[in-house]
Amino acid sequence: MRIVAQLKDPMILLLLGAAVLTATLRDFTDLTVILVVVTLNTAVGVIQELRAEHALAALRRLAAPQARVVRSGRTRMIVAAELVPGDLVLLEAGDIVPADLQLLEAVRLQADEAALTGESVPVEKDAPDEVFAGTVITCGRGTAVTSRTGMDSALGRIARLLSGQQPRQTPLQRRLRSLSRILSIVAIVLSAVVAIAGLIRGLPLPDMLVTAVSLTVAAVPESLPAVVTLALAVGAHRMARRSAVVRQLPAVETLGSVTVVAADKTGTLTEGVMLAERVWTPTAEYIATGDGYAPDGAVLGDPRQDGDGDRESLVRLLRDVVLCNDAELRPPDGDHPGWLPLGDPTEAALIA
């Protein structure tokens, strides 16, 4: 099906038509060139799609949430895809909600629903509220029963709406389709004119047919599809080096034509990271340096009075901040190069 999709391109169809004509004329040199171009064009397109889908599949596996469920009285970890309605799910800070769940019990539970609603502030949840698939538990813990899974979940219904959209042709595809149509019409008309002119001059019909077919083949730009495909492949390679995965080659040209991007900034244009930078005690002000949730940096400040009183106040304040805190910081690992917060982002910033 991938190969057939590549061969449906209007320029490729034009080349295949030219290949049939050159085979009829026994012009094996032109036939070989055309077939090489068609094969190259198709191979590059298919390889690009396969690479993109493998990359996307790997991203999906990394993002696939797991669920902590209670079955037959035992707690176990399962892949979210194995959840069924009625499963009892345990939720803690940092968990990705694996399906639409109805809370049976909640203790200071908050969920980040930005991925679903665009709301950047965590939403407090209590029994019998619902938490939705794809959202993240930022604080607290809870017990919930699975109500909807897969395409029946709120996130799944959005995916179903998007999947019903028919893919549109890119501006480049429309221009190439128009060009191939014009070339076909012009080549056929001019070849017919040449054949008719030759017959009027009294030339033999077989010779005129051969001449007309030869002119039609000569009018087809065999190298154009290959040039376009290679140019787009180079663009896709450059984008891949910047961590942008292109599923289909024509999207490269479309993205290159973009002048304005409208996007939800939370977690996309912004980092989605809370940072605590200033600390006040009764007698002094301090500035905390560092970036993100990494426990690096220093606490800088000039106390307004001498002695250890300000130092002791700072230590007491930071001690209370840590003790009255449910967040944790996860160190870098193979999947995440930076420090990750588990729990409320504000409390994680205070921990850092």
Side-chain angles (χ1 to χ4, degrees), residues 17 27 42 89 98 104 112 122 164-165 171 174 187 239-240 253 268 277 287 300 334:
D27 186 354
T42 304
V89 180
L104 303 177
D112 179 2
Q165 299 295 320
R174 289 197 296 268
M239 292 177 67
E253 185 267 346
T268 52
E277 293 183 324
I287 298 176
L300 309 174

Side-chain angles (χ1 to χ4, degrees), residues 93-119:
D95 288 349
I96 299 176
V97 179
D100 286 0
L101 311 174
Q102 186 170 11
L103 289 168
L104 303 177
E105 179 187 8
V107 179
R108 298 185 65 246
L109 190 71
Q110 292 183 351
D112 179 2
E113 298 184 344
L116 194 65
T117 65
E119 174 56 57

Side-chain angles (χ1 to χ4, degrees), residues 2 14 26 36 58-59 92 95 135 159 172 198 206 209 215 220 225 291 320 336:
R2 297 179 195 277
L14 189 58
R26 297 183 178 274
V36 167
L59 290 174
E92 293 182 356
D95 288 349
T135 60
L172 178 62
L209 289 178
L215 287 174
V220 176
D291 187 28
D320 295 344
H336 303 92

Side-chain angles (χ1 to χ4, degrees), residues 16-299:
L16 291 176
V20 173
L21 294 177
T22 53
T24 304
L25 296 173
R26 297 183 178 274
D27 186 354
F28 297 111
T29 302
D30 282 350
L31 177 62
T32 302
V33 171
I34 292 173
L35 292 180
V36 167
V37 169
V38 171
T39 303
L40 175 64
N41 187 85
T42 304
V44 171
V46 170
I47 290 172
Q48 172 63 27
E49 287 193 19
L50 287 174
R51 285 181 175 176
E53 296 214 357
H54 288 162
L56 292 173
L59 290 174
R60 282 193 292 267
R61 285 194 298 271
L62 286 176
Q66 292 186 319
R68 189 181 297 105
V69 301
V70 178
R71 288 181 175 174
S72 301
R74 298 179 59 185
T75 301
R76 63 183 67 181
M77 293 291 294
I78 66 171
V79 179
E82 298 177 4
L83 274 178
V84 296
D87 267 332
L88 191 64
V89 180
L90 305 179
L91 297 173
E92 293 182 356
D95 288 349
I96 299 176
V97 179
D100 286 0
L101 311 174
Q102 186 170 11
L103 289 168
L104 303 177
E105 179 187 8
V107 179
R108 298 185 65 246
L109 190 71
Q110 292 183 351
D112 179 2
E113 298 184 344
L116 194 65
T117 65
E119 174 56 57
S120 58
V121 179
V123 180
E124 293 186 3
K125 298 287 184 176
D126 203 350
D129 293 341
E130 278 192 309
V131 288
F132 302 101
T135 60
V136 181
I137 303 301
T138 60
C139 180
R141 56 184 172 83
T143 305
V145 62
T146 305
S147 56
R148 294 180 298 273
T149 62
M151 298 301 285
D152 293 328
S153 66
L155 203 60
R157 292 197 294 271
I158 294 175
R160 186 184 293 115
L161 290 173
L162 293 175
S163 63
Q165 299 295 320
Q166 293 297 324
R168 296 181 179 179
Q169 289 188 332
T170 67
L172 178 62
Q173 287 176 312
R174 289 197 296 268
R175 289 196 294 269
L176 288 177
R177 180 179 291 272
S178 175
L179 176 62
S180 63
R181 186 183 302 113
I182 293 172
L183 284 175
S184 301
I185 295 174
V186 171
I188 292 173
V189 170
L190 292 180
S191 299
V193 169
V194 170
I196 293 172
L199 292 175
I200 292 174
R201 293 175 57 191
L203 297 176
L205 176 61
D207 291 347
M208 285 298 94
L209 289 178
V210 171
T211 302
V213 171
S214 300
L215 287 174
T216 304
V217 173
V220 176
E222 290 90 348
S223 60
L224 179 59
V227 171
V228 172
T229 299
L230 290 177
L232 294 178
V234 170
H237 177 67
R238 290 178 177 174
M239 292 177 67
R241 285 162 52 187
R242 299 192 177 192
S243 303
V245 179
V246 177
R247 178 177 292 179
Q248 295 182 338
L249 284 177
V252 176
E253 185 267 346
T254 307
L255 187 58
S257 303
V258 171
T259 54
V260 177
V261 176
D264 170 24
K265 70 177 182 63
T266 305
T268 52
L269 302 181
T270 59
E271 293 184 11
V273 174
M274 293 292 288
L275 199 63
E277 293 183 324
R278 303 179 83 85
V279 183
W280 286 271
T281 67
T283 56
E285 176 181 342
Y286 300 88
I287 298 176
T289 64
D291 187 28
Y293 295 110
D296 301 323
V299 179

